[in-house]
Amino acid sequence: MKKFNILVVGGGSTWTPGLLKSMCVRQESFPINQLTMLDTDADRQKVIGDFANVLFNEEYPDIKFQYTTDKQIAFNQELDFVFVQMRTGGFKMREQDEKIPLSLGVIGQETCGPGGFAYGLRSIKDMIELVHDVRKYNKEAWILNYTNPAAIVADALKRVFPDDTHILNICDQPENLLRSYGRLLDRDPRSFDPVYFGLNHFGWFTHLYDETGYDLLSELRDKILDGGFRPVDFEQRDKSWLETYAMVEQMVKDFPEYLPNTYLQYYLYPDKVLNKLDPDFTRSNEVMAGREKRVFNECKRVAEAGTAKDSSVVHNDAHGEFIIIVAESIAYNRGDHFVVILENNGIVENLPKDAMIEVAASLTKQGPRPYAVGEIPTFYKGLIEGQFAYEKLTVEAFLEGSYQKALQALTLNRTIVSAGKAREVLDALIKANKDYWPTLT
């Protein structure tokens, strides 16, 4: 069986230990020859790298492992897959993404609204540079991007690399939702055949078929309305995430036709969500005080103890495991079902052809084979077209250096609406992101 060469970009992420553990668990189904981790922050990555050395010594001794901050070392090798989980600006800029909008009276969130706008503009440059770096040495390696503001990045990459068929943008939130449905229904989520449409962090499940072809959506809806909704790993989740999942019940009460992505709460109930957010302690603070501290302290403890046998460092298997299953489906031409981001081209008949939509697809060696959705109802179409226009203008603002298009983008976003407020937020974000964004004139 072929052994794969993998590069993880963003090796210092708090999610990396879960990914590394999943590689150990799935080493029979996805054997790895060489694993390289790359990060711009040497100190963060060293903590994870030292943990990895202990873990692999015990559970995966045949793997060739290295971590580096040198791009030449990382890219100048034969690669089969590049797993991308970079965070341009780190938690320091994520905190600004959340707190600046909140200080001006609008939602501050990592990937939604003006926070997602700021994060997206920071990420485009690094993602374009990454693809160039990979393609310099590896023309056919699969680039699996699964943590940036995926819709904005996917749109930018499609414009810059229109003929590159080996870039896949995919978000782990639909996977988390499917796993949560599985726990609620006491079923294996990998047995589900989902039908989904929307944009990244802006979509709906319309059907959820089991292995016999029976649609579980009505049963699932009733369970959510009767007992609420929690993430599959709710025992490990921070308070804000439990509140986010709890909002699904309200969304289903108001719009029972389909099951929503959790992030839709920011767009459907911006006033209600805004009132719950603490401008002095946002989710970035929660992560830094919670998951980040737990993960890094536990990695250091494992390195000092010289054993990972009793480690509790893995806090979310879905994020780490699902990207390996994605790679397996591509590598072995399995055609497994995933919700992915790709150009519409008629998949949803009454949405623009160039929209980067999120839909269910089979993943093969040739790439995604999406399932046609047909026409969608007016309410969902209207919401999606407004959000798509915001995302398209955001990418054009970056590529053209256009202040006007940036202002138009934020004015369209449902978390802001007011043009005056959009200008106020944009000007504040420009100052905070002067070292990352192109000049907007």
Side-chain angles (χ1 to χ4, degrees):
M1 179 180 286
K2 174 180 171 59
K3 291 188 175 183
F4 300 96
N5 295 325
I6 310 296
L7 171 64
V8 175
V9 179
S13 167
T14 57
W15 298 114
T16 302
L19 173 62
L20 302 176
K21 179 65 176 179
S22 294
M23 290 176 177
C24 295
V25 171
R26 302 191 69 85
Q27 60 185 282
E28 295 297 324
S29 58
F30 191 71
I32 297 173
N33 172 51
Q34 171 83 42
L35 171 64
T36 303
M37 296 194 323
L38 173 69
D39 204 295
T40 58
D41 190 323
D43 293 334
R44 284 179 65 94
Q45 185 170 236
K46 184 179 187 304
V47 175
I48 307 298
D50 290 346
F51 163 81
N53 279 321
V54 174
L55 176 71
F56 290 150
N57 183 60
E58 292 180 332
E59 299 188 20
Y60 210 160
D62 293 338
I63 199 170
K64 300 173 186 175
F65 172 67
Q66 62 178 340
Y67 60 93
T68 182
T69 58
D70 189 327
K71 290 169 58 173
Q72 181 71 12
I73 293 173
F75 295 113
N76 189 14
Q77 59 176 317
E78 184 179 336
L79 295 170
D80 296 296
F81 290 94
V82 181
F83 297 165
V84 185
Q85 53 179 22
M86 69 168 68
R87 177 181 292 279
T88 300
F91 280 112
K92 176 183 176 182
M93 291 309 299
R94 174 177 175 176
E95 187 176 9
Q96 295 300 304
D97 294 344
E98 295 169 350
K99 290 187 174 180
I100 288 173
L102 282 170
S103 72
L104 297 172
V106 298
I107 283 175
Q109 204 280 333
E110 176 190 13
T111 63
C112 299
F117 171 87
Y119 186 17
L121 286 186
R122 288 200 306 274
S123 301
I124 291 173
K125 176 178 177 292
D126 283 350
M127 281 300 302
I128 291 173
E129 184 177 314
L130 169 71
V131 175
H132 280 302
D133 287 337
V134 173
R135 290 296 174 248
K136 183 177 180 180
Y137 301 104
N138 293 272
K139 301 298 184 186
E140 298 298 322
W142 277 93
I143 300 172
L144 307 183
N145 175 48
Y146 62 112
T147 54
N148 288 295
I152 291 172
V153 168
D155 191 317
L157 293 180
K158 188 66 179 177
R159 293 168 187 249
V160 179
F161 305 99
D163 300 321
D164 195 321
T165 60
H166 283 65
I167 301 173
L168 179 67
N169 294 281
I170 186 168
C171 178
D172 67 346
Q173 189 57 10
E175 176 73 12
N176 275 310
L177 287 169
L178 289 169
R179 292 185 182 217
S180 299
Y181 298 158
R183 180 165 181 173
L184 190 58
L185 296 172
D186 193 25
R187 289 172 175 264
D188 177 7
R190 290 254 57 87
S191 70
F192 294 150
D193 178 10
V195 181
Y196 185 96
F197 72 84
L199 307 173
N200 181 234
H201 288 183
F202 204 96
W204 294 263
F205 286 97
T206 66
H207 301 281
L208 192 69
Y209 298 109
D210 68 10
E211 58 272 18
T212 70
Y214 176 73
D215 191 352
L216 298 162
L217 199 80
S218 294
E219 179 184 348
L220 189 53
R221 181 194 298 115
D222 291 344
K223 283 184 176 291
I224 291 172
L225 292 175
D226 184 54
F229 188 50
R230 296 186 295 184
V232 61
D233 54 351
F234 65 86
E235 299 93 344
Q236 303 166 3
R237 290 282 186 148
D238 292 325
K239 179 174 177 287
S240 68
W241 270 110
L242 297 179
E243 292 174 347
T244 294
Y245 273 75
M247 278 292 291
V248 169
E249 183 179 2
Q250 182 64 56
M251 288 190 275
V252 173
K253 283 180 180 177
D254 290 339
F255 308 102
E257 189 174 12
Y258 304 136
L259 296 183
N261 192 301
T262 53
Y263 285 90
L264 281 162
Q265 66 165 329
Y266 297 105
Y267 302 103
L268 297 177
Y269 311 97
D271 51 347
K272 183 176 182 178
V273 173
L274 179 61
N275 288 334
K276 293 194 303 182
L277 297 175
D278 184 348
D280 298 317
F281 191 82
T282 62
R283 186 174 282 174
S284 61
N285 299 123
E286 186 179 57
V287 171
M288 287 186 282
R291 188 183 77 235
E292 184 179 43
K293 188 173 291 186
R294 291 194 305 268
V295 168
F296 278 86
N297 285 344
E298 179 65 0
C299 284
K300 290 175 183 176
R301 187 197 66 77
V302 166
E304 291 172 1
T307 179
K309 291 187 182 304
D310 58 347
S311 174
S312 60
V313 73
V314 178
H315 290 281
N316 185 336
D317 292 331
H319 185 88
E321 185 182 42
F322 105 101
I323 201 63
I324 299 176
I325 300 174
V326 166
E328 288 179 11
S329 187
I330 294 171
Y332 303 129
N333 201 39
R334 284 206 311 233
D336 293 341
H337 301 150
F338 291 93
V339 176
V340 300
I341 301 164
L342 68 169
E343 195 168 19
N344 182 23
N345 284 329
I347 299 167
V348 180
E349 292 177 7
N350 52 342
L351 287 179
K353 292 180 64 176
D354 61 338
M356 297 302 293
I357 61 171
E358 200 168 46
V359 291
S362 295
L363 290 188
T364 71
K365 271 184 176 291
Q366 291 72 42
R369 293 181 181 172
Y371 305 132
V373 174
E375 292 194 355
I376 58 175
T378 301
F379 174 69
Y380 305 95
K381 178 176 181 287
L383 285 171
I384 289 172
E385 285 180 330
Q387 180 71 2
F388 166 60
Y390 147 77
E391 292 170 354
K392 185 175 183 180
L393 286 165
T394 298
V395 175
E396 291 174 358
F398 176 90
L399 296 175
E400 300 170 20
S402 171
Y403 179 96
Q404 181 66 26
K405 288 192 172 181
L407 178 61
Q408 290 174 346
L410 288 177
T411 302
L412 278 172
N413 196 281
R414 282 181 56 87
T415 66
I416 299 179
V417 179
S418 163
K421 184 62 68 174
R423 184 182 292 276
E424 192 177 0
V425 172
L426 176 59
D427 289 345
L429 290 175
I430 286 173
K431 290 180 182 178
N433 287 274
K434 58 182 173 56
D435 294 332
Y436 298 97
W437 287 6
T439 301
L440 300 179
T441 57

Short mmCIF file of all heavy atoms in Angstrom, two decimals, residues 143 209 261 336:
data_model
loop_
_atom_site.label_atom_id
_atom_site.label_comp_id
_atom_site.label_asym_id
_atom_site.label_seq_id
_atom_site.Cartn_x
_atom_site.Cartn_y
_atom_site.Cartn_z
N ILE A 143 -4.18 20.32 -2.17
CA ILE A 143 -4.15 21.34 -1.13
C ILE A 143 -5.53 21.36 -0.48
O ILE A 143 -6.52 21.74 -1.12
CB ILE A 143 -3.80 22.72 -1.71
CG1 ILE A 143 -2.43 22.67 -2.37
CG2 ILE A 143 -3.83 23.79 -0.62
CD1 ILE A 143 -2.07 23.94 -3.16
N TYR A 209 -30.54 11.34 4.54
CA TYR A 209 -30.95 9.97 4.26
C TYR A 209 -30.06 8.97 5.00
O TYR A 209 -28.85 9.18 5.15
CB TYR A 209 -30.87 9.69 2.76
CG TYR A 209 -31.79 10.56 1.93
CD1 TYR A 209 -31.30 11.57 1.11
CD2 TYR A 209 -33.18 10.36 1.97
CE1 TYR A 209 -32.14 12.36 0.35
CE2 TYR A 209 -34.04 11.15 1.21
CZ TYR A 209 -33.51 12.15 0.41
OH TYR A 209 -34.35 12.94 -0.34
N ASN A 261 -27.13 25.65 9.56
CA ASN A 261 -25.78 25.76 10.09
C ASN A 261 -25.83 26.67 11.32
O ASN A 261 -26.55 27.67 11.33
CB ASN A 261 -24.85 26.36 9.03
CG ASN A 261 -23.38 26.24 9.39
OD1 ASN A 261 -22.93 26.72 10.41
ND2 ASN A 261 -22.62 25.59 8.53
N ASP A 336 -16.61 9.14 -1.00
CA ASP A 336 -17.37 9.37 0.23
C ASP A 336 -18.07 10.72 0.19
O ASP A 336 -17.61 11.66 -0.49
CB ASP A 336 -16.45 9.31 1.45
CG ASP A 336 -15.88 7.93 1.69
OD1 ASP A 336 -16.45 6.95 1.17
OD2 ASP A 336 -14.86 7.81 2.40
#
